[in-house]
Amino acid sequence: MRASYKWLAEYLDLADLSPAELADRLTSAGLAVDAVEPLNRGVERVVIGKILEVRPHPQADRLKICQVDVGGGERLEIVCGAPNAAAGLVVPVALPGARLPGGVEIRIAEFRGVSSHGMLCSADELGIETRYLPKRDVEGLLILPEDLPLGEDVVPHLHLDDVVFDLDLTPNRSDCLSIRGLVHELSAILRRPHRFPASVPGPRASGECPIQVRLETPRCPRYEAQVLEGIAVRETPLWMKMRLLAMGVRSIDLVVDVTNYVMLEWGQPLHAFDADAIAQGTIVVRQAREGERLVTLDGQERALTPDMIVIADPEKAIGLAGVMGGENSEITPSTRRIALESARFDGASIRRTGQALSLRSEAQQRFEKGVDPAAVSNALHRATVLLVQLAGSHPVGPPRRVPAEADALKPTVISFSPQACARFLGVDVPEDEMYACFESLGFGVARGEDEWRVEVPTRRSDVQLPADLYEEVARLYGYHHIPATSMRLPVEAPESSDDLKLVRKVRRALVDWGLCEVRTYALTSPEAEAPVAPSGVAVPLLRPMSDDRRTLRRHLLPSLAEVARYNLAHQVSGGAIFEVGKAFLAASWPQDALPEERAVLGMLWFGEREGNPFERPRPFDFYDVKGVCDALLARLGIQAAYRVSHHAYLHPGRQASIEVGGVMVGTVGELHPDVGDRYEVGRAVYAEFDLGRLFPLASSEVRVQSIPRHPASRRDLAVVVPLGVESQALVDEARRTLSERGVLRMVRVFDVYTGVGVPEGQKSLAIALWFQRDERTMTDAEIDDAVEAVLRAWEAAFGAKLRS
């Protein structure tokens, strides 16, 4: 919220307070001022002048020589290149020795043989924020009203001698989104009376209002309309234009500028319709119909829903209530009659409409936070008076009000205990001081012995509870009066669960092995998860902040791939990342129960691993990742088996499920090339563990074995088996066969071969077996017997034959 110092000073005596001091007082009372910005950014010795004569420059086609009257009978010859320079215009003139924003100093200069005694200025050259000015005021010279006195300093006439406060208001202080609210606030802070009118009488009007109003929705409890005709003047006066600029609102035309001016002054949004565009002279406030469409003032066609409030006539919608008007009722240069609207709309409905249509306006901001019911009629009267004064209009009949009689504006009455307030604040505030705080805020107070009854006016809708009154006392009495106290409470370290200990253990291990932990959003979109095709349905958010974050994630791969894609796009050659996060699974939605929250460890290796003197850079592969999975399982004391898996998002033949006792606890595999391309990560390897299944299997016991005193013996076997036989099955069968003998220490597959010398439909597996006893060295006969037992078991179970 921006606020003009000069505008505030019209209603309050601020002569003894500089803008900086006033900003400090506001901030100390809870209304934070982020910046104090003077509108004059270095303009000196710039006066008002009138162009008397313009002739072309003899040596330059784009330059003109202007004779300029700067008052006091002084005429200057100034060379100008502005396309709109013409005789009779009143413009800002920078005299020799003048200074402009950016440290520019004006001197007598020569342009192609002609001396220029100054400079004619545009709005941009004076440091004015041109984005808030109409197009005609930013193209070429800034044209001033003809009645300004020549030779006088342009700064006060352009209202550049003002200072703007940039206020960072908390959401509950919607009353301060207006000059009226800030004046009341400053009056309470400074304990000074203000001159802001309590009400505005409407202008006298004879006859009957030609507009009828029907309310067909409970979301509009109050609607008022005033018809005016005869718009004689279209140009917004300079003072209003510059005041809107100071408040950060763009000037459009006189009618729209008046409605914006009154909104900033009273906090009540208004809208003006072309009265002749309203069919049958009837305004209908209703909910939009299914499939109804409206072209708004920005030229966009909007698809409306029944949750939106529209202003309509019996034939069509003509505006989105509280958000934006319709193009079919827009004020144009040919408009002769206008209908001014002032109303109260349901704030939640206005907020939903703006979010659904991606619209944001000053009016919407005020409606969604809540407007003062007492301002509805007063703002309408104020705008009518201004249009009568500035545009030469006259009202046609009194305002049409629905309901005809305004609801009694009952103040909120709160019971207040001075003793409870003092205990709550921790400081003894005198009761007379509390009374003075409420009185300065305009609150009515009926004092009792133990309890007071405080009446809060409708403009302060944020004050509803005794605690709100305590806050008002603290703010106005001064936070600096409240002593700082140190909280001394016994603090005990929370007990850590076994799962949290295991999570910390996993994190430490992965970081030690070169992985980087990341934290990503638990929110995603169905489009981002489509390549993974996770099970279940996506759980949507009720009010998503963006389209990319509108559902709960069902898989960690899209989140990790987003991190990988960002790094690869920023010239990172590759890396390994992991996250311990939640995946949310639901068989259907909506459902009675909340979605299942699955704790998951996700890991992703992308790009290339760094080279070293002995190895060139190369892409990460399946076995890099499997090694980390094996090490992690060993760290947790878990022995797992790898089985063939068939996940569509992983590369066929380069993936496996990780099982413990027949229960799948994880997955590892290279991404399918199509999935890698969809996520823009190329060749990458992904692994995940379901921590809910993994952690119950983990062991915290540390087993120590003495170093074997007797050597182990290795036997390498090459067997031919059908292609469909998993190597893990042979490893498991060997362990089962020799489990009672206790001599098999390790089994490892070290080669797989198909091709010449191996029958079609079969493959050769090379498997190493290590044999060892603790008490003595094994004999060759014992080892041969164990090998024979394994070969017989393999042949019986899989048809395995020793490769010759």
Side-chain angles (χ1 to χ4, degrees), residues 121 145 152 264 296-297 317 398 424 437 494 523 525 609 639 731:
C121 300
E152 290 196 5
L264 295 171
T296 47
L297 287 174
F424 186 87
C437 290
L523 306 178
S525 66
R609 64 181 303 158
Q639 187 173 7
V731 172

Side-chain angles (χ1 to χ4, degrees), residues 119-168:
M119 186 177 85
L120 307 184
C121 300
S122 66
D124 185 56
E125 289 164 337
L126 295 176
I128 297 173
E129 294 182 87
T130 54
R131 57 179 172 156
Y132 298 129
L133 291 176
K135 185 178 180 181
R136 62 183 178 274
D137 288 342
V138 300
E139 295 178 342
L141 301 177
L142 177 62
I143 301 173
L144 303 176
E146 296 179 358
D147 57 352
L148 294 184
L150 302 182
E152 290 196 5
D153 189 353
V154 78
V155 168
H157 291 282
L158 284 178
H159 298 271
L160 296 179
D161 54 346
D162 198 0
V163 175
V164 173
F165 302 116
D166 187 359
L167 292 146
D168 183 14

Side-chain angles (χ1 to χ4, degrees), residues 1-4 7-8 11 31 167 169 173-186 196 247 260-269 362 365-366 370-372 375 459:
M1 169 70 183
R2 289 164 58 120
S4 161
W7 201 349
L8 294 171
Y11 299 110
L31 299 181
L167 292 146
L169 299 176
R173 293 309 304 270
S174 60
D175 59 301
C176 290
L177 289 171
S178 66
I179 293 297
R180 175 192 181 219
L182 288 172
V183 165
H184 280 280
E185 184 69 15
L186 282 171
F196 200 95
M247 299 288 285
N260 285 333
Y261 182 88
V262 174
M263 175 187 68
L264 295 171
E265 187 178 59
W266 278 83
Q268 169 65 40
E362 292 281 346
Q365 181 185 14
R366 287 160 174 80
V371 297
D372 180 8
R459 61 181 171 82

Side-chain angles (χ1 to χ4, degrees), residues 652-689:
R654 300 180 188 175
Q655 57 172 292
S657 63
I658 306 172
E659 298 182 3
V660 179
V663 177
M664 190 177 77
V665 297
T667 302
V668 57
E670 184 178 315
L671 295 190
H672 192 287
D674 292 342
V675 175
D677 291 342
R678 286 280 297 275
Y679 285 129
E680 300 177 28
V681 296
R683 180 176 174 180
V685 189
Y686 176 73
E688 74 170 27
F689 285 99

Side-chain angles (χ1 to χ4, degrees), residues 469-726:
L469 294 177
Y470 303 162
E471 182 182 1
E472 296 302 299
V473 171
R475 286 192 319 111
L476 299 180
Y477 182 59
Y479 291 124
H480 60 281
H481 286 128
I482 301 176
T485 55
S486 299
M487 299 296 291
R488 289 189 180 137
L489 297 173
V491 177
E492 296 181 2
E495 293 185 7
S496 182
S497 67
D498 291 338
D499 282 358
L500 287 177
K501 292 177 182 177
L502 288 172
V503 167
R504 286 197 291 269
K505 187 175 184 178
V506 167
R507 283 177 170 148
R508 284 195 299 268
L510 294 177
V511 170
D512 289 344
W513 297 331
L515 281 80
C516 295
E517 184 174 10
V518 299
R519 301 288 179 89
T520 63
Y521 290 105
L523 306 178
T524 184
S525 66
E527 293 79 11
E529 291 186 319
V532 181
S535 59
V537 299
V539 179
L541 301 187
L542 186 61
R543 294 185 179 88
M545 295 295 289
S546 70
D547 197 52
D548 293 338
R549 312 284 181 199
R550 68 180 189 273
T551 60
L552 296 177
R553 69 180 173 195
R554 292 171 284 169
H555 205 283
L556 261 64
L557 175 57
S559 302
L560 296 177
E562 184 178 359
V563 176
R565 180 171 64 249
Y566 180 88
N567 280 272
L568 290 171
H570 288 76
Q571 286 73 54
V572 176
S573 61
I577 57 177
F578 76 93
E579 179 178 13
V580 177
K582 293 287 184 68
F584 301 85
L585 305 180
S588 61
W589 197 264
Q591 62 183 24
D592 295 336
L594 292 174
E596 176 193 353
E597 296 186 24
R598 190 162 64 97
V600 179
L601 165 63
M603 297 172 281
L604 184 68
W605 285 255
F606 60 92
E608 292 185 333
R609 64 181 303 158
E610 293 183 2
N612 57 61
F614 309 101
E615 184 180 21
R616 293 180 179 180
R618 63 170 178 81
F620 289 101
D621 61 25
F622 175 88
Y623 292 101
D624 291 321
V625 180
K626 181 177 180 293
V628 172
C629 294
D630 287 340
L632 182 61
L633 291 166
R635 182 69 60 91
L636 296 175
I638 299 173
Q639 187 173 7
Y642 291 82
R643 307 291 184 191
V644 173
S645 63
H646 303 282
H647 297 288
Y649 69 94
L650 296 177
H651 195 300
R654 300 180 188 175
Q655 57 172 292
S657 63
I658 306 172
E659 298 182 3
V660 179
V663 177
M664 190 177 77
V665 297
T667 302
V668 57
E670 184 178 315
L671 295 190
H672 192 287
D674 292 342
V675 175
D677 291 342
R678 286 280 297 275
Y679 285 129
E680 300 177 28
V681 296
R683 180 176 174 180
V685 189
Y686 176 73
E688 74 170 27
F689 285 99
D690 186 331
L691 300 184
R693 296 178 179 178
L694 186 69
F695 283 169
L697 304 173
S699 173
S700 59
E701 294 180 0
V702 177
R703 295 183 180 181
V704 179
Q705 279 186 309
S706 61
I707 298 175
R709 297 176 58 191
H710 305 282
S713 297
R714 170 174 168 163
R715 293 289 188 271
D716 292 345
L717 303 177
V719 294
V720 177
V721 295
L723 280 175
V725 175
E726 298 178 11

